[in-house]
Amino acid sequence: METLTLTRPDDWHLHLRDGVVLKDVVHWSAARFGRAIIMPNLVPPVTTTEMAGAYRERILAARPEGSAFEPLMTLYLTDNTPAEEIERAAASGFIHAVKLYPAGATTNSDSGVTDIRRCDNALAAIAEHDLTLCIHGEVTRPETDIFDREAIFLEERLAPLLARHTHLRVVLEHLTTAAAVDFVRQGPERLGATITPQHLLMNRNDLLAGGVRPHHYCLPILKRERDREALIDIATSGHPRFFLGTDSAPHARHAKENACGCAGIFSAPLAIELYAEAFDQAGALGRLEGFASHFGADFYGLPRNGDRITLQRQPRPIPKALPYGDGHIVPLRAGEEIAWSLTDDTLAPEAS
Ligand code: NCD
Ligand code: ZN
């Protein structure tokens, strides 16, 4: 049987939620990843160092016994985030990034930024204190076509932002287009990007052809096949500014299978396996370790993990649903197979 051993990977973009569901979600990531950048789009959003510290404690308490999984916390940027809050965040040692959601762009982004220029003081403090700015890169004008929102953001918002803040370290999150790949590749060394498994493995036909598939709906929305190909090319190229960020975003089954379903794909139970499948299909398994385990840590200025995980080419069925609080959640590939498995993984029994 073919196996693949890697330095333990990290997830540079992860939603864990809060409260009763935390325990149902954290263990999937903890079994695979050493660390994860934890998104702050809770209700209410994590806007202060104090809130981030309390959330971090709840995540640590929800880890499986003996787990060393480390949540790397983020602050939610608003129009009114004071520079002093950024200073406190940097001094905490546990906050590594600040997240910019354009107001209204996605799940729980109502308190996000309405005009990036209002944040210039906070952005200057992020650069000064050597934190990273993570960006959900989509414009939010209702009249802008949902498939164009990322590409327009690049020239209209991101280019001027990078020009105004010449020392700011920026991660453009969850790239979905060939345009974004080009923008980041041609950008400065201080500009990095994460790529999700769904955008490497699926295009918009997987969302819309032959019936609407709500479990394939996420933001930014899946794009064309030629965009997917550009993402595969760059992810498997060994370029050190493109790295793993799952954007695993759990929503209960009823919230997804709904007349107005939530955006977010739950990939945590098979996250590294999905990337292995994508890299394998591209004939580039040898490049997975850099993308998954080295480049993100290097970009954030953190040490690489010291331990390793082993994957085997062994198809494994994915349950149709998994426990999630009082209800259930449907993971990506539910009821289907994944081509790779983690050697010491045990999937919880099928929920229903
Ligand atoms: C995320 C969520 O549900 O929190 N949803 C998603 O589709 N990716 C928010 C986000 O990252 O856009
Ligand atoms: Zn996200």
Side-chain angles (χ1 to χ4, degrees):
M1 186 184 307
E2 203 179 325
T3 65
L4 179 67
T5 296
L6 308 171
T7 300
R8 184 177 291 281
D10 300 303
D11 185 348
W12 299 97
H13 182 133
L14 178 65
H15 300 267
L16 290 177
R17 312 303 187 206
D18 203 359
V20 288
V21 300
L22 209 42
K23 256 199 157 58
D24 296 323
V25 174
V26 174
H27 68 99
W28 299 114
S29 297
R32 288 161 180 75
F33 298 105
R35 297 164 289 196
I37 285 277
I38 309 300
M39 287 297 127
N41 62 332
L42 304 182
V43 186
V46 180
T47 51
T48 66
T49 306
E50 193 181 342
M51 291 170 91
Y55 183 31
R56 177 173 176 271
E57 292 302 325
R58 295 194 292 278
I59 296 168
L60 293 176
R63 292 182 307 184
E65 220 172 288
S67 170
F69 176 69
E70 189 187 346
L72 308 174
M73 307 309 291
T74 61
L75 275 197
Y76 187 114
L77 187 69
T78 73
D79 286 352
N80 306 313
T81 304
E84 298 73 43
E85 193 59 58
I86 303 296
E87 207 177 312
R88 270 193 291 280
S92 76
F94 56 76
I95 295 177
H96 295 264
V98 178
K99 177 69 187 248
L100 190 168
Y101 288 103
T106 187
T107 307
N108 300 336
S109 62
D110 295 349
S111 321
V113 170
T114 61
D115 182 344
I116 296 174
R117 283 165 300 190
R118 292 195 178 161
C119 302
D120 275 343
N121 285 341
L123 296 176
I126 292 169
E128 185 191 333
H129 295 286
D130 204 25
L131 293 173
T132 297
L133 180 71
C134 296
I135 300 184
H136 183 112
E138 290 193 289
V139 293
T140 54
R141 288 187 295 271
E143 65 271 24
T144 303
D145 191 284
I146 190 167
F147 291 100
D148 297 334
R149 288 177 182 189
E150 179 178 274
I152 293 175
F153 184 90
L154 303 172
E155 297 307 329
E156 203 174 279
R157 302 287 158 83
L158 186 53
L161 174 76
L162 291 168
R164 273 205 315 284
H165 294 276
T166 52
H167 296 286
L168 186 61
R169 187 165 57 236
V170 171
V171 176
L172 184 61
E173 308 258 47
H174 39 50
L175 297 195
T176 64
T177 54
V181 170
D182 288 342
F183 186 95
V184 173
R185 195 176 20 211
Q186 289 160 19
E189 288 298 305
R190 61 197 167 88
L191 177 63
T194 56
I195 305 179
T196 76
Q198 63 263 28
H199 294 103
L200 286 176
L201 287 162
M202 296 193 288
N203 63 37
R204 62 201 205 178
N205 282 7
D206 296 292
L207 171 67
L208 295 169
V212 169
R213 291 181 175 72
H215 298 291
H216 292 172
Y217 175 54
C218 66
L219 290 171
I221 200 160
L222 294 170
K223 301 294 191 314
R224 291 178 177 276
E225 176 61 9
R226 65 168 178 261
D227 294 304
R228 189 191 73 81
E229 286 166 1
L231 292 167
I232 284 284
D233 286 349
I234 196 72
T236 61
S237 72
H239 193 302
R241 289 190 284 119
F242 295 81
F243 42 87
L244 185 157
T246 63
D247 195 15
S248 176
H251 293 275
R253 179 158 63 188
H254 65 83
K256 295 284 295 173
E257 298 173 9
N258 190 294
C260 185
C262 292
I265 291 179
F266 184 50
S267 62
L270 63 164
I272 188 65
E273 298 91 321
L274 288 163
Y275 286 105
E277 199 178 278
F279 275 64
D280 195 10
Q281 280 169 12
L285 271 179
R287 293 263 165 87
L288 180 61
E289 186 175 37
F291 176 83
S293 315
H294 296 165
F295 303 154
D298 299 350
F299 188 84
Y300 273 83
L302 294 168
R304 297 174 181 180
N305 290 318
D307 59 337
R308 311 208 289 175
I309 62 163
T310 298
L311 294 161
Q312 54 190 1
R313 194 197 299 276
Q314 165 79 53
R316 180 180 61 125
I318 303 299
K320 290 197 174 111
L322 296 163
Y324 188 69
D326 317 336
H328 294 117
I329 187 164
V330 178
L332 191 57
R333 285 285 171 87
E336 297 173 32
E337 278 194 342
I338 175 80
W340 287 80
S341 14
L342 207 62
T343 48
D344 55 358
D345 189 33
T346 44
L347 256 191
E350 194 156 331
S352 76

